């Protein structure tokens, strides 16, 4: 089981008792735009997902970790590696923090920094990338803070409430590890 500890938070593997948290996150329509979700998830499907969340990243090509501050409190967010490609040593990164009260608290920065370090040092990845809506200034600021570079724009990429929006691709090449 993976646990990565930082100064103020830690990242851990998902547990069965994360059912209600993951269910709420997956069904929060306010973040569907960033998670590319189209339909609600049932508790049954989330429970099945959690039962299989222990599978190795090399098998399922994804790693989802809960972002936590204290052992006695529920997760504050989720951070993912997705589209894990061990042949080309790359993966996508996604992060979501629950609730406005948890945003702008350096939680996302610390989580992303730990995931970058884990990805480059332990998974030996050569690069990470993030797909970010061009209007998502907070995410753009977060990823550029850690050296991710804008490498292109996918025009009219996502349809949100009847309007097509651009998506920007950010990439970080492993030059430090």
């Amino acid at each position: 089981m993976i646990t990565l500890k930082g100064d103020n938070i830690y990242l851990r593997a998902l547990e069965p008792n994360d059912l209600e948290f993951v269910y709420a996150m997956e069904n929060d329509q306010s973040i569907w735009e960033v998670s590319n979700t189209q339909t609600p998830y049932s508790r049954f499907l989330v429970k099945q997902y959690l039962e299989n969340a222990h599978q190795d990243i090399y098998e399922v090509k994804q790693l989802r970790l809960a972002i936590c501050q204290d052992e006695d409190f529920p997760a504050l967010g989720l951070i993912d590696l997705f589209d894990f490609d061990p042949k080309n040593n790359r993966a996508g990164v996604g992060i979501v923090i629950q609730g406005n009260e948890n945003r702008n608290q350096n939680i996302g920065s610390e989580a992303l920094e730990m995931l970058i370090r884990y990805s480059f040092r332990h998974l030996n990845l050569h690069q990470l990338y993030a797909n970010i809506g061009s209007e998502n200034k907070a995410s753009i600021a977060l990823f550029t803070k850690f050296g991710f570079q804008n490498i292109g724009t996918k025009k009219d990429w996502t349809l949100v409430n009847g309007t097509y929006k651009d998506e920007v691709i950010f990439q970080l090449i492993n030059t430090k590890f």
Side-chain angles (χ1 to χ4, degrees):
M1 180 163 308
I2 295 173
T3 301
L4 306 171
K5 294 192 184 276
D7 293 332
N8 301 301
I9 64 165
Y10 66 96
L11 307 178
R12 64 163 172 78
L14 294 174
E15 299 282 351
N17 62 359
D18 288 319
L19 174 65
E20 291 304 317
F21 174 75
V22 174
Y23 175 77
M25 292 290 286
E26 293 292 354
N27 289 295
D28 181 350
Q29 292 183 27
S30 70
I31 61 173
W32 279 9
E33 181 180 343
V34 297
S35 66
N36 220 9
T37 300
Q38 301 294 316
T39 59
Y41 286 87
S42 69
R43 280 185 176 81
F44 175 76
L45 286 176
V46 173
K47 184 178 179 192
Q48 283 186 315
Y49 170 76
L50 290 174
E51 287 172 356
N52 293 310
H54 67 279
Q55 291 180 319
D56 188 82
I57 188 172
Y58 289 90
E59 292 176 49
V60 296
K61 309 300 183 211
Q62 177 183 4
L63 174 66
R64 175 171 278 182
L65 300 171
I67 303 168
C68 304
Q69 276 186 311
D70 187 4
E71 306 247 352
D72 297 332
F73 294 96
L76 303 172
L78 300 168
I79 190 163
D80 297 353
L81 289 175
F82 61 90
D83 292 342
F84 176 69
D85 181 349
K87 178 188 179 294
N88 295 298
N89 297 315
R90 67 176 171 239
V93 178
I95 184 170
V96 64
I97 306 296
Q98 184 183 45
N100 289 331
E101 69 280 1
N102 294 320
R103 296 186 183 126
N104 300 316
Q105 302 293 318
N106 209 35
I107 294 167
S109 291
E110 192 170 349
L112 183 56
E113 184 175 25
M114 284 190 289
L115 191 69
I116 291 168
R117 191 176 309 119
Y118 174 78
S119 298
F120 289 167
R121 287 184 181 165
H122 298 286
L123 296 176
N124 298 312
L125 294 183
H126 175 64
Q127 60 182 289
L128 295 171
Y129 66 90
N131 302 307
I132 303 172
S134 63
E135 297 173 2
N136 189 339
K137 303 301 180 203
S139 288
I140 290 170
L142 173 64
F143 282 85
T144 56
K145 175 181 177 178
F146 291 99
F148 281 76
Q149 295 181 344
N150 179 339
I151 60 165
T153 300
K154 297 183 269 185
K155 296 287 188 186
D156 290 347
W157 196 254
T158 55
L159 181 61
V160 180
N161 297 324
T163 303
Y164 285 97
K165 296 187 176 185
D166 296 348
E167 186 174 270
V168 186
I169 306 168
F170 283 83
Q171 180 183 42
L172 179 65
I173 302 290
N174 181 357
T175 58
K176 297 180 184 176
F177 299 96

